[in-house]
Amino acid sequence: MSPTERLRAYLKTHPKTAPVGLVLVEDSDLLPQAIEYARKIGIGALVFLDRRPGATAPSSEGLHLPCDAPTTQHFVESVNSLLPILSQRWVALTFQSERVLYPFCETRTISDLLTFVEEERRDAVYSTRVDLYPTSPELGLDWHQAGFDSAGYYSEPVFEDGEILERQTALFGGLRWRMEEHIPWTARRLDRACLFKAIPGRTVTPDLQLSDHEGRTRACPWHHSTTAAVPSFRTALSLARNPASARAAKDLTCPTTLAFDGTSQQLMDYGFMEPGQWF
């Protein structure tokens, strides 16, 4: 069976109302934790676009589809090829070294969130990347011993043809701002596609945004909307593995480093996401 045929067969065993976790697997770092967390928040269907050699067969943890993806761009192309098959389903798009947090995720499932979002006539949840890193040089990647920048963020309006796009904001700062000499300018935005409905014509752009205007907005026209956050080790991993930045990445802490406690309340307190009208 082709990858698309396998995906169609896999989705038949999962109701269309359940969100699909689409996980882009670059390597094995933190993959078991990603699977455990996805199950915890209520993601039943897990589809892995897996570039590791030999990852070709379904398993009890989900559906693994081989993906020849040397770059993020190649992952994005593979994602877009699958979106028509996922039509009208909610998608949680993350890499294996990331997880999605949303308000009250400790006590409410992701289906609870998306049901509310649909009631507000929204089909995407504005999401912000939060770059995590070890809190001391001798520590490895550990969700329980990670830090993040608690200050040093700024936003800019988004322009198209000289006009400001309504309700769109480009967010910058944190680790990608501090280490900007090692980060391509096209990869410095912190807002990104994470939770969205696969609707006709919608694709993911090379910089991990949604292709349509409304999908990139952070709020309804009438009030603030619920938003989400994506704690991520990807930047720290990239900096550590790049020979040009490996020396600087041995210790990524700074005076504003704060211990990450893994809770939605902490990220709401520091402005990375908000509940909107969801109480």
Side-chain angles (χ1 to χ4, degrees), residues 149-194:
D149 287 8
S150 60
Y153 298 87
Y154 65 97
S155 62
E156 293 181 351
V158 179
F159 291 85
E160 185 176 280
D161 298 328
E163 298 290 332
I164 294 179
L165 295 180
E166 180 187 7
R167 295 175 286 117
Q168 286 200 37
T169 302
L171 182 66
F172 302 90
L175 186 57
R176 290 175 179 240
W177 174 63
R178 286 198 286 121
M179 304 290 287
E180 64 179 357
E181 66 270 28
H182 302 295
I183 307 291
W185 70 269
T186 53
R188 293 178 191 165
R189 281 182 68 167
L190 297 180
D191 52 298
R192 54 165 281 187
C194 174

Side-chain angles (χ1 to χ4, degrees), residues 85-272:
I85 303 173
L86 297 168
S87 179
Q88 301 305 317
R89 292 178 181 265
W90 279 93
V91 176
L93 178 65
T94 59
F95 290 83
Q96 96 287 339
S97 55
E98 301 177 333
R99 57 181 52 173
V100 55
L101 267 68
Y102 50 87
F104 322 119
C105 59
E106 294 81 10
T107 57
R108 303 181 192 178
T109 69
I110 195 167
S111 291
D112 294 335
L113 167 70
L114 299 178
T115 297
F116 175 79
V117 170
E118 286 201 314
E119 289 172 352
E120 291 210 316
R121 291 179 283 165
R122 300 277 287 172
D123 54 28
V125 179
Y126 183 91
S127 305
T128 302
R129 180 192 291 108
V130 182
D131 286 321
L132 301 182
Y133 45 86
T135 49
S136 66
E138 65 272 12
L139 293 174
L141 302 180
D142 188 335
W143 288 104
H144 302 292
Q145 295 179 307
F148 68 97
D149 287 8
S150 60
Y153 298 87
Y154 65 97
S155 62
E156 293 181 351
V158 179
F159 291 85
E160 185 176 280
D161 298 328
E163 298 290 332
I164 294 179
L165 295 180
E166 180 187 7
R167 295 175 286 117
Q168 286 200 37
T169 302
L171 182 66
F172 302 90
L175 186 57
R176 290 175 179 240
W177 174 63
R178 286 198 286 121
M179 304 290 287
E180 64 179 357
E181 66 270 28
H182 302 295
I183 307 291
W185 70 269
T186 53
R188 293 178 191 165
R189 281 182 68 167
L190 297 180
D191 52 298
R192 54 165 281 187
C194 174
L195 288 172
F196 59 92
K197 202 168 198 179
I199 59 176
R202 172 172 282 172
T203 59
V204 178
T205 65
D207 59 347
L208 296 179
Q209 305 292 320
L210 292 177
S211 58
D212 57 297
H213 168 78
E214 193 63 30
R216 298 190 300 270
T217 58
R218 63 175 301 134
C220 301
W222 47 90
H223 60 59
H224 286 194
S225 298
T226 308
T227 63
V230 186
S232 172
F233 281 106
R234 284 193 76 227
T235 301
L237 278 167
S238 177
L239 290 168
R241 291 170 177 171
N242 185 345
S245 58
R247 184 174 179 181
K250 286 184 177 180
D251 186 359
L252 292 170
T253 59
C254 69
T256 62
T257 295
L258 188 70
F260 175 63
D261 68 11
T263 67
S264 60
Q265 188 61 55
Q266 183 186 49
L267 297 186
M268 285 191 281
D269 289 343
Y270 281 87
F272 290 102

